[in-house]
Amino acid sequence: MYMRSGNPSLKDDKFIRSSASGNGRLMTIQGTVNKTFILLLLVLATCIYSWNQFLNDPGSVTPLILIGAIGGFIVALITIFVPKISPITAPIYALLEGLFIGAISAQYEVQFGGIVFQAVLLTIGVLLS
């Protein structure tokens, strides 16, 4: 069964490999694992920063939330429509999303104690599986 999507990143032409476009390199499992690890470290770095900012001054994280959410959305759209620059935009997206996730997670942790720890454990479990 063929499933159609309106998502521009899932159009048929995105999956057709052309020797004329691109640099001829193929995606490998090791390369994917390495890039996933690097992006995860970037997310964690800014996540820890915004979490600590919330603990020091809860009111100071509102700009971090807005910058992370809106900036991340804009960078995601740029990456979808101009995938050739994804080596540049992927780390930027990871840093921006870390700002957002850290600040929001700290707020939820204060409101619902223990929820962030459970979410992190489940996320790590899914990533490793």
Side-chain angles (χ1 to χ4, degrees), residues 44-118:
L44 284 175
T46 54
C47 188
I48 290 169
Y49 171 77
S50 61
W51 180 287
N52 288 330
Q53 286 295 110
F54 179 82
L55 294 180
N56 294 331
D57 181 18
S60 69
V61 296
T62 303
L64 297 178
I65 292 172
L66 293 174
I67 290 168
I70 296 169
F73 179 69
I74 291 169
V75 172
L77 287 176
I78 292 169
T79 305
I80 288 171
F81 290 108
V82 189
K84 289 182 181 183
I85 63 170
S86 65
I88 298 166
T89 57
I92 295 170
Y93 178 79
L95 292 169
L96 290 169
E97 287 303 302
L99 289 177
F100 176 73
I101 291 170
I104 291 291
S105 297
Q107 290 178 344
Y108 278 114
E109 184 63 29
V110 168
Q111 192 172 4
F112 309 104
I115 193 169
V116 173
F117 181 69
Q118 293 173 11

